[in-house]
Amino acid sequence: MKNNLYTAVLLILLSVSNVFSQNGNLITSEAQLQEMKLALKSDNLFHSAVNDAIEEVAPYLKSGLDVPVPKDLAGGYTHSQHKLNYTIMQKAGMLYQLTGNEQYAELIKNTLLKYAELFPTFDRHPATRSYSPGKFFWQCLNDANWLVYTSQAYSSIYEWLDAGTRDKLNKELFRPYADFLSVQTPQFFNRLHNHSTWANAAVGMIGLVMHDEDLIQKSLYGLPFENLYAKDNDGGDIIRADQKKAGFLANIDHAFSPDGYYFEGPYYQRYAMYPYLMYAVALDRNKKELDIFNYDNKILLKGIETLVQLSNEKGEFFPLNDAQKGMSYYSRELKLAISIAYEHGDAHRNGLLSIVKELNAVPLNYGGFLESNAIAQGKATTYQKRSLLVTDGNKGDKGAIGILRGSRQEYIMKFTQHGMGHGHFDRLSYLMYNKGDEVLQDYGAARYVNINQKDGGGYLKENKTWAKQTVAHNTLVIGDRTQCNAKVEKAESATPELYYFNAEDENIQIMSAKDSIAYDGVHQQRTLVLIKDNAFENPLLLDLFRADLPSDQKLRMPYNYKGQMMYSTFDNQPLNSLPVMGKKDGFQYLWKVGEAPSKGNFNQVNWFNNKVFYTLNMATSAEDSINFVLLGANDPKMNLRNDKAFHWLKTGKKGSNLYASVLETHGGYSYITELAPHTYSSIKNVNVVYNTNAYSAVTFENKEGKKWRFIMCNNNSSSSSKHKLKIGETTLKWKGVYLLEEI
Amino acid sequence: MKNNLYTAVLLILLSVSNVFSQNGNLITSEAQLQEMKLALKSDNLFHSAVNDAIEEVAPYLKSGLDVPVPKDLAGGYTHSQHKLNYTIMQKAGMLYQLTGNEQYAELIKNTLLKYAELFPTFDRHPATRSYSPGKFFWQCLNDANWLVYTSQAYSSIYEWLDAGTRDKLNKELFRPYADFLSVQTPQFFNRLHNHSTWANAAVGMIGLVMHDEDLIQKSLYGLPFENLYAKDNDGGDIIRADQKKAGFLANIDHAFSPDGYYFEGPYYQRYAMYPYLMYAVALDRNKKELDIFNYDNKILLKGIETLVQLSNEKGEFFPLNDAQKGMSYYSRELKLAISIAYEHGDAHRNGLLSIVKELNAVPLNYGGFLESNAIAQGKATTYQKRSLLVTDGNKGDKGAIGILRGSRQEYIMKFTQHGMGHGHFDRLSYLMYNKGDEVLQDYGAARYVNINQKDGGGYLKENKTWAKQTVAHNTLVIGDRTQCNAKVEKAESATPELYYFNAEDENIQIMSAKDSIAYDGVHQQRTLVLIKDNAFENPLLLDLFRADLPSDQKLRMPYNYKGQMMYSTFDNQPLNSLPVMGKKDGFQYLWKVGEAPSKGNFNQVNWFNNKVFYTLNMATSAEDSINFVLLGANDPKMNLRNDKAFHWLKTGKKGSNLYASVLETHGGYSYITELAPHTYSSIKNVNVVYNTNAYSAVTFENKEGKKWRFIMCNNNSSSSSKHKLKIGETTLKWKGVYLLEEI
Ligand SMILES: [Ca+2]
Ligand SMILES: [Ca+2]
Ligand SMILES: [Ca+2]
Ligand SMILES: [Mg+2]
Ligand SMILES: [Mg+2]
Ligand SMILES: [Mg+2]
Ligand SMILES: [Mg+2]
């Protein structure tokens, strides 16, 4: 079947190639098209993409595309049909350019003429649920999507069309549509918001097709602000009174940190990148002088690179803030983004190919063609994920995400901006992965996207009441309260601050951040140190979490672990009638299934997850204790997963309190050989030897009697400052923020 | 490194091949060896196996192998070293035969001479924990392992050795060792038990090497029974007074059902097959007249085939009885078994190659060589798993396992013998898999094999108190008690019986079995019907579980599901202080997390597991109710997984009670596209329309209004009998045990 199709395509190609050159050039140049046609003479990924598109479009060459009068919300017939239309038209446009088969051009033309008929017959979509009701869709966002895709289709046949039809479509459909999405809906077009990015891209792209400089300028720089605020007052403060700029470039400036991080987190960044990149490709082709891919130090390409780095070994994005787990760079959006990065970027180009190879598919564009060629030539190399600091805030001064990678473990610490409505109260939390598996998790969002039986697929109420709460994260909970009392405004008022990040030495990588907002009067600092030493199978994670308290308070450090508990030195007593742990701040969903006092000043918790063992080696004091907890109380609809955690409790005293621990990843298991090497930690002791606001110092020892000391200076991160500290009888001198030595 | 090694091997081979032919032929003939050497001239799986063995043996060519005085139990140095010795010697023997490098022969000779020195210096291993203390190991079982492997090594150099050395080894090591394992330890050698199979194989194989017909006869037919019972009385009734036969052939007769099923279940079968097969290969080469692979209708080859069929799509054995999940046909034992099946079997030969291909490794034997060749020639085809009935009992009359397969779903119903000490109280339970994922699970064994922190890696007490109990299985629990009151003797006293099995029509496959022992006075029957119809995305599972009760009793049907509950028509109320459900029979480990009465006479439970949706469509009555339960109460060491279940409760009445349900597998989900098609069941009704001990009849209807009726005759499974039944106003007539019709 595929083979026959292939032969058929080939015949068409051989018979018609070079007899047409009527390309509007929005996305692809004439020269690129000539190159791409060559790919169709052999078997390769790009050719497969073409064949898939041929199969997909084929039925509509006969039937045409229905253009119904808009009526439905998302999911309904008219909504789905208009979505289908722009997808098919975009593909038909590319196929027309590649094959010269005029049936594709006719399909687009006929469909657009139906839209031109329909357009003037009504004002807006009958549904009024959106702050910006659309035309063919219930919200303008979908209309902007339509125009981003359809501009590409229209461009493909622009030169092929007779002048009369072109003129009619320009005047009766596209220019009015662009006005509809911009001047007639400024609250949609002129925001600093991902919705507006779609609007800017849509209007700009159709402007480029029609050579309409007015539309292009509006798309790049927004509408003038005069009068807009007034109009806008009806619908609330959608356009902020202090906003000075709008349009595509302003949205780039606003949304991305200098490291290419998008403020809502990777899950939303994946979606938000799409219009930026599509419009950028069109601008790069048609407005060279803007040099868009070099804009702001190549910020768009950096955005793709950063997004790829913000994923685990399986390519799944770190589920920070509201994020459904499992979304990965194998998504449609990233397939396109990666092809653009491959075409226009210079860093890691051939590494990106390993992702494409895994996906075994390229998009139907010039970047996809280049990827296909390069893969056929065996150029794919491994993509290098590395330790890195990703700053947040459009000036890069609003905290960051720190990622330490060593062996196959990944540690991700979060101390960014709150992230607006999608943010979680998770300051100074960290996630841990090993071999792409979650070991210490962030719950992610409480949501089953698009699964109707779970509240229509939207955010569940537990997203707010559980998933966003601090106890759902691996960070300190003070007084059993959520950070910032779970108030977004408070959380937005100040960001945690980067104290130190250095991953240059693979034997000791450090990230450290501070926060003073989460709990009134409390100064917190977490320092994560990844130590690689031949004495250990894998790098160790030393965790120093310091809390300077204004008064005595209960401290609770949750470890939201995945896997099966193996043993702990705590002598756990079962609680048969499970108490629910609280009434608010997420504790209403937790059952306490066991609790135990600590034993002496060293304790261990050892668990097992997907064939690997993990041990938390804890410096404890006599008043410390542990809770074993299970998620799922007060959840009659079973919206939540029955995940587990252990909580390390301390009696917090006024002044400096320190959680010090060493997490070891060790051993293995095979369900086939049933061999179980190294199931116990090699660590036999962890001790806090110094603890003030100025310095934190610990020692740890392995079973062979080797011993190490680590000291962190907490109030001077300069690498040139000199330190002198007396611990017990020993006086230590060193330069720089930390000292690690075997003793 | 590997390449250099490869070149080195090649040079050795080219220089020495054909200059030696001193092979004892236990396992491999001279002609086979000549063929196998050809494989070493190119790159292939067999060559890789040879290279791996060369690397593994290399260090000992220099250092020799230590032969310590026995002292330790399993895990200790002397135990591990003696194990290493036989592994290395066996490989060295094969390498000597393939390469002619005499260093390998010398290593074997020198090691054996050390054993010959050591052997006469002491009586038995100092440890006395075993019923049959060994020589070099704490138990004879390990010594028999030693001899099975070492016979192969010895055979390899048998003709190469000078006559004096050979004579010395025969007289001072091997013949005494064979006597030690047989006449001197009859309680080990003469049982009908997998331990004795090892003993029989060991004695027989060394007998074949030494051409010692006395040993061969003992191995095949056992020791005479005179005087044995007397000796045996010291240690209990290890040899049963009614036992008439012993030896290898008797063990084959005893252990396997005519369908090749081993009575302890697949997890143990995998281990038990090994000595049967190794000895069979040796007998096939050296005692052709026995025609061992054709013995009892090719029972050994059938055993391998059956074992492969008793696994899910991932190759993991169904975890029936005591079994650690994850054990699969990618284990070392199966690698060997499959190579033997490939060499000697005729059915599905090239299908087996797909398993070898997945494993990407072949064993170091002639079968492995054939596999390697065939794979290089592209002969591998897909292995066809099918619906089948696997009878239990050495006459095939002690129940069975039924497997229905359709689309990618697998349903496994168990109604076998109890399985002695490893059996579970799980009569009429079923497991369900989809795409290799568990959907309705058997808990498996409560054990972490070889993981020391969990009770030394042995069976946990929860294995008996939870994993074996009926409520841990998907079968009816009456009066909240375990079947047979959890007494093995009672369970062994009678087996459930096959009532009907027919999988010939892929549109309707049926399995049905009965039991009258599990609960006093209760006659139970479960009929599972897999119905394929274009109206549904996947085949439906119709489940009719009938219980004829002597008095009113509480009925509870557990569904030990995997995944996340999506919704149910039961209006669940949360129970905040979780009650523990009982004090015994497994209920002491269960928390009730929710309960609800049924709503009307049709209810649904819908859940989601690994991107697929499942709905149980239940014919309910007003008194029915549901419990949602969570495993983990009374488990302070957290030995158990926090698995979930829902229990469908009925108020059982004296007489015939019927659980009728239709399980639908439907829809899908992608975490990348976030599309969620078909998340709801297509079934809108299930009704019991007739329910007596003679007939069970249900109707079910889909949302398009199509309706089906299924009738099962419960007391006559003949396919030729004629039936007539009046249901309501309709009189139905049909031939055969069931009737399915669209109405
Ligand atoms: Ca979170
Ligand atoms: Ca079981
Ligand atoms: Ca009904
Ligand atoms: Mg910027
Ligand atoms: Mg958003
Ligand atoms: Mg038999
Ligand atoms: Mg056994």
Side-chain angles (χ1 to χ4, degrees), chain A residues 267 324 449-450 453 669 674, chain B residues 267 324 449-450 669 674 679:
Chain A
Y267 178 80
Q324 179 164 274
V449 180
N450 292 333
Q453 48 267 61
Y669 191 72
E674 296 183 336
Chain B
Y267 178 80
Q324 180 165 271
V449 180
N450 291 332
Y669 191 70
E674 296 182 334
T679 65

Side-chain angles (χ1 to χ4, degrees), chain A residues 319 321 424 426 442 444 467 473:
Chain A
N321 293 338
H424 288 197
D426 59 1
D442 182 313
H473 299 87

Side-chain angles (χ1 to χ4, degrees), chain B residues 7 62 120 124 421 483 633 741:
Chain B
T7 313
K62 284 192 179 167
R124 284 186 188 259
Q483 295 175 351
E741 51 181 8

Side-chain angles (χ1 to χ4, degrees), chain A residues 465-476:
Chain A
T465 53
W466 161 255
K468 289 184 176 180
Q469 303 295 319
T470 303
V471 72
H473 299 87
N474 307 305
T475 190
L476 189 61

Side-chain angles (χ1 to χ4, degrees), chain A residues 267 324 331 448-450 452-453 564 566 576-577 606 628 634 638 640 642 644 669 674 679-680, chain B residues 267 324 331 448-450 452-454 564 576-577 606 628 634 638 640 642 644 669 672 674 679-680:
Chain A
Y267 178 80
Q324 179 164 274
S331 63
Y448 297 84
V449 180
N450 292 333
N452 189 61
Q453 48 267 61
Q564 181 70 37
M566 285 285 114
N576 286 332
S577 147
N606 168 272
F628 292 97
N634 282 301
M638 292 185 255
L640 297 171
N642 293 123
K644 289 177 287 189
Y669 191 72
E674 296 183 336
T679 65
Y680 292 97
Chain B
Y267 178 80
Q324 180 165 271
S331 63
Y448 298 84
V449 180
N450 291 332
N452 189 63
Q453 48 268 59
K454 288 298 187 190
Q564 181 70 39
N576 286 331
S577 147
N606 167 273
F628 291 98
N634 282 300
M638 292 184 257
L640 296 171
N642 293 124
K644 291 177 284 187
Y669 191 70
I672 292 180
E674 296 182 334
T679 65
Y680 291 98

Side-chain angles (χ1 to χ4, degrees), chain B residues 600-603 618-620 684-688 699:
Chain B
N601 63 358
F602 176 65
N603 280 275
M618 308 149 79
T620 45
K684 74 170 186 199
N685 210 350
V686 181
N687 260 302
V688 174
T699 60

Side-chain angles (χ1 to χ4, degrees), chain B residues 508-527:
Chain B
I508 178 159
Q509 305 182 53
I510 304 186
M511 55 187 173
S512 182
K514 295 182 178 185
D515 173 81
S516 303
I517 294 295
Y519 295 100
D520 289 339
V522 177
H523 300 280
Q524 307 187 90
Q525 177 179 13
R526 180 171 235 168
T527 302

